[in-house]
Amino acid sequence: MDPQLVAVVAVILAAMVFDYTNGFHDAANAIATSVSTRALTPRVALLMAAVGNFVGAHLGTEVAKTVGEDLVSLPLGIPSLGVVFAGVLGAITWNLITWYFGLPSSSSHALFGGLVGATLMASFGEVQWGNIVNKVLIPMVFSPVVGLILGFLFMIAIMWTFRRGHPGKLNRGFRLAQTFSAAAMAVGHGIQDAAKTMGIVVLALYTGGYQSSATHIPQWVYWASATMLALGTYAGGWRIIRTLGRKIIDLGPAEGFAAETVASSVLYFNALVLHAPISTTHTITSAIMGVGATKRLSAVRWNVAGNIVIAWVTTFPAAALIACLVYLVVRPLF
C-alpha cells in the first residue's frame, strides 16, 4: 500500500478518535444544566445534544477553514502528516486526563496546543503566531469574560421581568424553555467543535497531496466528523456533567435557561460572524458562573471554579508538551 495513503488514513483515524473524545468530553457543555434542573432526562438530553451536534457540524465551514489553514504552515509530504498525527494524539491524551479528573477543559485548545507543540518540534513547520494570538489566545481570554458578564446581566433581566411570577409556574415554564436553549447549545457546539475536526482532516488531505485546496471540505468529511461527534456525545461524559451541573452552583430552571442562551449566542456570533474557533467549555462554564453570581457571590463554589480555570490555563501548554513527546516517538514512522 502507498505509504502516503497509509499516513493520511492514520491521521484521519486519529482525528475521528479525537472527535469522539471531544463528544463525550464536551457533552456536558450542552446538557449539564438541563439534566441538573431535571428539564430533560439524561438520555433524552444526550440524544438531543447528539442530533444538535450533527446539525451544527454542517454550519461550521469557516471555523474549519481557520483550523486547517491559519494556525500552522506545513509543507506537503509524509513528514508533515507525522506532525499533525502527533498534535492530534497530544490533544486526545489531554482530553482523557481532564475527563478522568472531571475537569471541563477545552478540547479546542488541547487540539490547538497539540498542533503548535508538534509543529515546533519539527524542523520544517511554521507556527502562524499572529493568527494564534488573534484567533485563539485573545478569544480564549475574552469569551469567558463575555460569558460571565452576559450571564450575570441576562439573569438579572430575567429576575426583574418575572419578579412577580408564581415560582411553580415559572419553573415549569423555564424547564420547557430549556428544551430549546439546550438544543441551541448543542447546535453551537457542533458548529465549533465538529468544525475543528473537519479542519484537521482537510489539513491531512492537503498535506498528503490528496486535494489541491487547503480549505475545500469534501461532503464525506462533514458526515464523518458529525457522526463521530454525535456518537461521542451520546456516550456521555458523566464526570464532567456532574462538575458543570452541580459542583459550580446549584442550578434552577431559570438559571439553566439563562446560561445556555448566553453561551449559545456567544458561540454563534464567534463562529458565524468572526469565524473564531472558541471554546464551548470556557463559554458555558463562565456563563454558569455569571448566572450563579446573581444569587450571591458565595453561591458560586469558587474553589471548584478555580480548579477549572487552572485547567483552562494549562490546557494549551500541556497538550503542546504532550504532542512534543509524541512527535519524538512517532517521527521515525513518518
Side-chain angles (χ1 to χ4, degrees):
M1 186 179 290
D2 180 12
Q4 192 132 320
L5 176 59
V6 172
V8 170
V9 170
V11 174
I12 292 174
L13 289 177
M16 292 300 110
V17 173
F18 168 79
D19 208 20
Y20 184 85
T21 65
N22 190 352
F24 77 71
H25 189 278
D26 289 3
N29 296 342
I31 71 165
T33 52
S34 298
V35 171
S36 65
T37 62
R38 296 181 176 83
L40 297 170
T41 64
R43 286 299 168 189
V44 169
L46 280 169
L47 181 60
M48 174 186 289
V51 173
N53 280 325
F54 193 86
V55 172
H58 290 77
L59 303 174
T61 302
E62 295 302 325
V63 172
K65 290 178 180 178
T66 297
V67 174
E69 188 180 37
D70 294 344
L71 303 183
V72 298
S73 295
L74 296 168
L76 302 182
I78 292 179
S80 293
L81 293 169
V83 172
V84 180
F85 184 75
V88 175
L89 288 189
I92 292 171
T93 303
W94 185 249
N95 270 356
L96 294 175
I97 291 171
T98 50
W99 165 81
Y100 179 81
F101 289 104
L103 293 173
S105 66
S106 169
S107 295
S108 305
H109 293 117
L111 181 61
F112 304 152
L115 278 177
V116 168
T119 302
L120 289 174
M121 285 298 291
S123 61
F124 48 82
E126 180 183 354
V127 177
Q128 300 186 45
W129 288 111
N131 288 335
I132 293 291
V133 171
N134 293 329
K135 297 188 177 184
V136 175
L137 298 182
I138 290 177
M140 181 176 73
V141 173
F142 279 98
S143 61
V145 173
V146 171
L148 183 75
I149 294 172
L150 291 183
F152 181 85
L153 294 177
F154 189 49
M155 191 63 212
I156 289 291
I158 288 175
M159 293 166 64
W160 186 84
T161 303
F162 296 100
R163 63 191 183 280
R164 295 189 178 90
H166 186 275
K169 290 182 178 179
L170 288 176
N171 280 338
R172 287 193 293 273
F174 278 113
R175 281 197 178 95
L176 178 61
Q178 271 196 276
T179 303
F180 300 98
S181 61
M185 186 68 203
V187 173
H189 181 257
I191 291 174
Q192 282 285 346
D193 285 54
K196 290 152 192 167
T197 299
M198 293 191 295
I200 293 298
V201 174
V202 169
L203 182 60
L205 293 172
Y206 174 70
T207 56
Y210 283 89
Q211 68 178 45
S212 58
S213 171
T215 58
H216 171 67
I217 305 173
Q219 192 60 228
W220 68 266
V221 176
Y222 284 100
W223 286 94
S225 300
T227 299
M228 291 305 294
L229 186 65
L231 289 174
T233 299
Y234 191 67
W238 298 108
R239 294 172 185 264
I240 295 173
I241 288 171
R242 284 191 289 270
T243 298
L244 278 183
R246 288 296 180 192
K247 291 185 179 180
I248 298 176
I249 65 167
D250 293 319
L251 289 168
E255 290 88 354
F257 170 77
E260 290 169 343
T261 301
V262 166
S264 59
S265 299
V266 174
L267 291 175
Y268 291 150
F269 181 78
N270 278 276
L272 303 178
V273 178
L274 301 181
H275 307 155
I278 67 168
S279 168
T280 54
T281 304
H282 292 186
T283 307
I284 185 62
T285 306
S286 60
I288 290 173
M289 293 178 188
V291 165
T294 60
K295 295 181 177 181
R296 59 187 186 282
L297 287 178
S298 60
V300 179
R301 298 181 181 96
W302 295 107
N303 60 326
V304 176
N307 291 334
I308 292 172
V309 171
I310 290 172
W312 289 358
V313 173
T314 57
T315 287
F316 191 98
L321 178 60
I322 294 170
C324 288
L325 299 176
V326 172
Y327 180 70
L328 292 176
V329 175
V330 305
R331 181 172 56 185
L333 304 175
F334 288 86

